[in-house]
Amino acid sequence: MNVWPILSALRRNPMGAILIVLQIALTVAIVCNALFIVQQQTRLISRPSGVDEASLFSFYNLWGSNTTDYKSRVQVDLSALRALPDVEDAIATTGLPLRGGGYHYPVAISPVQTKDNPEASVYLTDQHGLNALGLQLAAGRWFHSDEIHDMDSDHDNPESAPMAVLTDALAQRLFPQGNALGKAIYLGKSPATVVGIVKRMQAARISTSSQTAEYAVLVPFLWEAPASLYVVRAKPGRRDAAIQAAQLALSQISRSRSIANVQGFDETRSEAYRPYRATAIILACVGLLLISVTGLGIVGLTSYWVSQRKRQIGIRRALGARRIDILHYFHTENLLVVGCGAIIGVILANLANTMIVEHFEMDRLPQIYIVAGAVIVLGLGQLSVLWPAWRAARISPAVATQAN
Amino acid sequence: MLTYYLKIAFAGFRRNMALSLLTVLTVAIGIGGAMSTFTIYHVMSGDPIPGKSGKLFVPQFDSIGPQAREKTDEPPDLLSYRDVLALMRAPAGEQHAAMYPTRMTVTPPNPSLSQLAVSARATQPAFFRMFDTPFQSGAPWSDAEEAARARVVVLSARTAERLFSNQDAVGKTVTLNGQDYRVAGVLKPWNPTPRFYDLSGDALAQSEGVYLPFATAIDRQMDSNGHTECDVAPAPGAGWQGMLNSNCVWLQYWVQLPDAAAVTRYNAFLSQYATEQQRSGRFSWLPMTRLRDVRQWMRYKQVIPNELRVVVLLGFGFLLVCMVNAVGLMLARLNGRTADLGVRRALGATKGDILIQCVIEAAFVGLLGGLAGLSLTVAGAAAERAIVAQSLARITHIDNMLVLITLTLAVASTICAGLYPAWRASRTPPAMQLRAR
């Protein structure tokens, strides 16, 4: 099909075409940036935490009166929890993946700290930790009961741990040759021997970088303090029953405590990722609305063109153009205009992304998203022009003979 | 004259109802989309303490050094206990308050109820004066009580209601961590948004339920449940005193400085203190201090997350697309009205008259679109409340300011969109129109 008549028609009345080009360009720029952010947030939200998410729940335990003997209290609590029929295992600690809390240390492989040491979450755990969290041991071993030291708020110093278990991600980062077992890591001045490696466990704070998300160290301490986080793993399928039973059992042991923020792990996860999910949903909605508004805009403007050019179309028909020719005409015209918009949109999308990367510390948009955005609008354009073009094709050649 | 234009605008609107409604709808969707994303931004960028945000400052001082610092070129957000003690000796005339968050258990007066945990803030009486906290009854504890490490507390409205229902709590006793405290005052509901005085966790977190004297909390060895950062952690067994003597940072500190001269004086004092500390051999790194007011502090702490800024940006891009769409629709609409515009021209209306008329019509459409967009914004904000974090959902609401912004934005952007169609319409030649009919 010859495009010259189309171009000359566009040149005679360029405003409508300019508007469509502008609209398409902006739509491409916005939609592919939005799509990319949605995809990034979705990937972030769906990362596994490494713990047994289906059976885990956790809550804060706060002792009311000024007692000093927290050690025996915590031990009584833990053995009571572990004895419950619905409970698989339990630990007392300070932090949990996605729930926050705990310690954060730069981890080094020599006593000399440098600035680029990776920062990791440090979790306290006793010999039950592996089972209570539902972690998978990838290499080495877990802590034995005689290796667990006491830690309370006055002796609050996980740096002194003589041994540690690392996540696979952190082990690979610290020892790229892959032989972390038996090596020493440094949270402070003293070395801790790596005795085991777990396959996966996320840091307590959400990290937007997938690289550092699983930097975690487990150290053998029993946390004995006025406030602690109890993490309980229920028997498969018995979580809700275990939540009830655990609270009842603890309040029977002592009433001078308060139990706060009981959360199943699913709740912990959804609370932690709420802002990310919200961003994704809002952007997806904006993107969808945008595509529909642009589509409707094309329908509107093309219909308007058709009604304006009714007479010319009639004349063409009278001169022998078939319906399919008229259809072709409008589809080609749309392809040209939308294609123009898409090209400008690709440039705009890159500009917008450069700005977003510079000012908002976000990742660079891969070109595939821009191509996808351009293809989407080209398809959208063809789809939107279907109905107006069909109406144009229905114009009778007799129109040519009518006076205005 | 204006009423005449409005009458024409109304008549024009009715003349081509479908196209007019479509234009209004486009404007409404654009406004609704942009403003739904803007509502969150609006609350989060608000001034949490109007009138005073330029007078309240956070002094920062680097006591942990380049190894432990989170950012290479900024001191930590918090201060160590020994530095807070030193800063309290600053030149007279300024108000200051050290503070840290902690958690306490409350034994309710009714023994059949179980214990409950409350968030608490250990602070000094100046906290209430500096931050203009509204009191429902009673007053803050006195400086003398602070110095005497008295067991007094100020309760939030919510805590007071939970413990004492509708009775006045002032003068009553509450049992906190197993010890009796006298209630000195009860606050009115007070939740500065964002919670500027402690931005270390959720910036939109609610204020604490209990406030107690700083000296009392230190004396009772109450742990902070906020962040603690150390260069070298206190030796195991050093205990509470070891923590107080260490360089570990864990305290927030605010000062109120009345004018620029006081700010300069305080800055000088701060850097002099840092230099002295370095000279005395306490640390080897270069002294580093900062002094930021509430606004600067909120910006530094990135209260508005980057994701939100991008969302708002894209929301306004969306509005732009809708407005481009509206330009097309308005062009089409005016094109259908060349006849009566031509008649008006022939009857003596100048180009300027037609231009004004078309702009007023655009403003009319914009206003309608703004009103419809406002309801979409309300709906959008309600939908957002369901998906955003609870603390955010609590504060997201449509206030008068937001209504005003919405309507202004709608009218202004529609007028912008209407300028080109109006200009085109104003060039309608009179004679041709008369001839055509």
Side-chain angles (χ1 to χ4, degrees):
Chain A
M1 175 150 206
N2 195 349
V3 296
W4 290 114
I6 299 177
L7 287 180
S8 80
L10 285 175
R11 213 173 48 231
R12 271 174 60 105
N13 194 356
M15 201 51 207
I18 290 175
L19 286 175
I20 292 187
V21 166
L22 197 60
Q23 210 174 336
I24 290 290
L26 287 168
T27 306
V28 171
I30 295 171
V31 164
C32 51
N33 275 293
L35 257 183
F36 178 55
I37 297 176
V38 169
Q39 189 269 345
Q40 276 188 312
Q41 309 283 334
T42 316
R43 207 180 52 193
L44 190 75
I45 294 168
S46 51
R47 288 186 307 206
S49 64
V51 299
D52 180 7
E53 301 198 7
S55 308
L56 226 56
F57 65 95
S58 60
F59 52 88
Y60 291 100
N61 181 69
L62 292 105
W63 293 105
S65 48
N66 280 352
T67 321
T68 42
D69 192 18
Y70 293 116
K71 179 172 182 174
S72 61
R73 286 177 172 240
V74 169
Q75 279 170 336
V76 168
D77 280 358
L78 287 180
S79 36
L81 286 173
R82 286 165 186 159
L84 290 172
D86 289 327
V87 169
E88 171 76 30
D89 216 335
I91 55 168
T93 183
T94 57
L96 188 68
L98 304 187
R99 182 139 200 184
Y103 300 86
H104 304 272
Y105 276 91
V107 186
I109 51 172
S110 81
V112 189
Q113 287 273 349
T114 59
K115 196 69 205 171
D116 45 74
N117 284 326
E119 175 154 314
S121 279
V122 175
Y123 294 111
L124 311 180
T125 170
D126 61 11
Q127 67 274 22
H128 292 265
L130 185 68
N131 188 34
L133 293 166
L135 302 174
Q136 282 183 43
L137 202 59
R141 63 173 182 87
W142 192 251
F143 308 121
H144 299 313
S145 57
D146 56 347
E147 292 166 342
I148 309 297
H149 295 264
D150 298 333
M151 185 172 324
D152 56 41
S153 3
D154 285 348
H155 305 75
D156 182 352
N157 194 349
E159 291 173 21
S160 61
M163 62 184 66
V165 169
L166 306 184
T167 54
D168 190 44
L170 185 61
Q172 303 238 356
R173 165 73 175 72
L174 291 173
F175 306 100
Q177 291 83 16
N179 42 2
L181 280 186
K183 296 269 170 58
I185 59 160
Y186 291 81
L187 298 177
K189 298 268 179 285
S190 61
T193 312
V194 178
V195 296
I197 292 171
V198 288
K199 191 166 156 252
R200 168 177 284 140
M201 183 178 189
Q202 272 191 350
R205 295 181 195 157
I206 291 179
S207 161
T208 44
S209 143
S210 56
Q211 227 171 14
T212 60
E214 293 178 10
Y215 285 179
V217 179
L218 295 127
V219 287
F221 288 105
L222 179 64
W223 177 244
E224 308 142 5
S228 48
L229 181 67
Y230 284 8
V231 182
V232 186
R233 183 183 179 195
K235 291 255 163 64
R238 303 293 303 158
R239 197 198 66 187
D240 293 344
I243 290 179
Q244 298 304 322
Q247 283 171 279
L248 188 68
L250 291 186
S251 65
Q252 276 165 357
I253 294 171
S254 164
R255 282 182 65 81
S256 80
R257 77 164 92 225
S258 52
I259 290 170
N261 297 334
V262 186
Q263 276 184 355
F265 198 87
D266 50 350
E267 201 185 332
T268 304
R269 164 177 276 278
S270 93
E271 278 304 309
Y273 283 130
R274 230 165 207 279
Y276 303 90
R277 199 171 48 238
T279 309
I281 295 176
I282 292 172
L283 282 183
C285 289
V286 165
L288 272 179
L289 261 178
L290 188 57
I291 290 177
S292 23
V293 164
T294 304
L296 287 178
I298 295 176
V299 173
L301 271 175
T302 320
S303 311
Y304 167 62
W305 274 340
V306 170
S307 67
Q308 261 198 329
R309 288 186 251 168
K310 220 170 165 181
R311 224 172 112 79
Q312 285 92 321
I313 295 166
I315 292 170
R316 277 201 66 194
R317 291 277 282 126
L319 290 177
R322 291 164 304 166
R323 285 192 170 157
I324 193 88
D325 295 329
I326 305 291
L327 272 181
H328 270 157
Y329 177 90
F330 278 97
H331 276 283
T332 316
E333 181 191 66
N334 180 274
L335 196 67
L336 281 177
V337 173
V338 173
C340 241
I343 290 169
I344 300 176
V346 167
I347 300 168
L348 263 185
N350 275 305
L351 283 180
N353 183 245
T354 309
M355 196 189 75
I356 289 177
V357 171
E358 252 174 50
H359 294 279
F360 306 113
E361 300 161 7
M362 295 182 123
D363 288 345
R364 184 155 282 289
L365 173 65
Q367 293 301 314
I368 180 79
Y369 279 85
I370 302 187
V371 172
V375 169
I376 289 176
V377 291
L378 283 176
L380 179 75
Q382 292 296 304
L383 206 67
S384 314
V385 87
L386 270 180
W387 182 67
W390 181 79
R391 272 202 10 194
R394 305 277 302 175
I395 290 173
S396 139
V399 170
T401 59
Q402 289 164 6
N404 219 6
Chain B
M1 201 61 201
L2 189 68
T3 43
Y4 175 62
Y5 281 137
L6 281 176
K7 239 166 85 184
I8 299 185
F10 193 65
F13 189 86
R14 284 195 24 195
R15 218 184 133 95
N16 202 338
M17 200 66 154
L19 215 48
S20 303
L21 280 179
L22 205 61
T23 319
V24 168
L25 190 69
T26 308
V27 173
I29 290 177
I31 291 289
M35 291 308 287
S36 304
T37 59
F38 185 72
T39 35
I40 300 178
Y41 185 87
H42 176 67
V43 230
M44 294 187 79
S45 61
D47 189 341
I49 177 158
K52 272 191 117 170
S53 51
K55 292 181 178 158
L56 299 169
F57 290 83
V58 183
Q60 286 172 268
F61 164 75
D62 183 16
S63 65
I64 58 175
Q67 294 303 337
R69 277 200 309 255
E70 212 165 298
K71 298 180 178 154
T72 38
D73 49 354
E74 290 288 344
D77 298 342
L78 304 168
L79 291 175
S80 68
Y81 182 71
R82 52 190 285 197
D83 292 318
V84 161
L85 289 190
L87 292 192
M88 280 183 197
R89 292 193 289 269
E94 290 99 13
Q95 305 222 46
H96 57 75
M99 61 193 85
Y100 69 94
T102 183
R103 234 190 305 228
M104 298 178 102
T105 51
V106 187
T107 316
N110 179 353
S112 66
L113 296 174
S114 65
Q115 303 225 351
L116 47 110
V118 287
S119 57
R121 180 157 294 265
T123 187
Q124 295 168 316
F127 176 92
F128 306 97
R129 295 195 291 268
M130 283 163 63
F131 299 155
D132 292 335
T133 57
F135 273 83
Q136 184 173 299
S137 66
W141 57 88
S142 66
D143 291 318
E145 282 172 312
E146 172 76 37
R149 299 161 189 181
R151 292 214 295 262
V152 287
V153 285
V154 166
L155 302 182
S156 73
R158 222 167 78 99
T159 311
E161 211 217 290
R162 249 162 93 182
L163 294 178
F164 300 101
S165 319
N166 299 323
Q167 304 162 353
D168 186 9
V170 172
K172 296 225 164 67
T173 302
V174 283
T175 312
L176 297 166
N177 287 1
Q179 293 202 306
D180 287 348
Y181 285 75
R182 183 176 58 80
V183 179
V186 176
L187 295 179
K188 285 184 185 157
W190 179 65
N191 269 312
T193 324
R195 197 179 67 175
F196 65 96
Y197 61 82
D198 183 356
L199 295 174
S200 51
D202 182 358
L204 301 173
Q206 279 187 294
S207 294
E208 287 78 8
V210 170
Y211 301 83
L212 76 158
F214 181 72
T216 311
I218 294 285
D219 191 43
R220 308 250 15 117
Q221 309 196 352
M222 291 180 195
D223 283 321
S224 161
N225 72 340
H227 294 284
T228 304
E229 274 172 61
C230 298
D231 54 342
V232 182
W240 184 249
Q241 197 56 43
M243 183 65 187
L244 296 187
N245 293 340
S246 74
N247 282 331
C248 295
V249 296
W250 55 291
L251 297 170
Q252 280 126 5
Y253 190 68
W254 283 84
V255 285
Q256 183 175 328
L257 303 168
D259 49 35
V263 175
T264 316
R265 266 203 313 276
Y266 200 89
N267 249 323
F269 159 75
L270 203 59
S271 33
Q272 192 201 347
Y273 171 70
T275 316
E276 270 170 21
Q277 292 295 306
Q278 191 219 17
R279 289 227 184 94
S280 72
R282 180 174 156 199
F283 51 80
S284 55
W285 50 87
L286 287 176
M288 189 190 277
T289 62
R290 298 278 184 279
L291 189 63
R292 290 186 164 97
D293 69 13
V294 174
R295 287 259 170 203
Q296 292 165 333
W297 183 242
M298 280 170 42
R299 214 168 310 134
Y300 172 66
K301 291 296 291 170
Q302 291 195 330
V303 165
I304 302 176
N306 279 330
E307 282 79 9
L308 181 58
R309 288 175 195 272
V310 174
V311 168
V312 172
L313 204 70
L314 293 179
F316 276 80
F318 175 65
L319 175 64
L320 191 63
V321 174
C322 288
M323 284 305 155
V324 172
N325 213 336
V327 174
L329 289 169
M330 281 194 273
L331 267 181
R333 201 165 73 96
L334 285 173
N335 219 294
R337 291 184 49 205
T338 37
D340 58 281
L341 289 177
V343 171
R344 277 206 68 204
R345 288 277 280 126
L347 290 176
T350 62
K351 282 183 181 177
D353 288 337
I354 303 287
L355 191 76
I356 292 176
Q357 183 202 322
C358 293
V359 167
I360 287 180
E361 283 188 28
F364 181 69
V365 167
L367 191 66
L368 289 181
L371 288 172
L374 195 63
S375 41
L376 286 181
T377 308
V378 172
E384 269 170 6
R385 266 198 287 275
I387 55 172
V388 297
Q390 270 172 4
S391 56
L392 192 57
R394 208 185 59 240
I395 55 154
T396 320
H397 62 277
I398 313 285
D399 57 11
N400 294 338
M401 189 62 196
L402 208 64
V403 170
L404 196 69
I405 295 175
T406 309
L407 294 182
T408 318
L409 183 69
V411 172
S413 54
T414 318
I415 287 179
C416 285
L419 278 181
Y420 174 75
W423 179 78
R424 277 268 297 254
S426 73
R427 288 167 54 97
T428 312
M432 196 184 87
Q433 290 308 320
L434 289 179
R435 192 199 56 189
R437 296 282 137 177

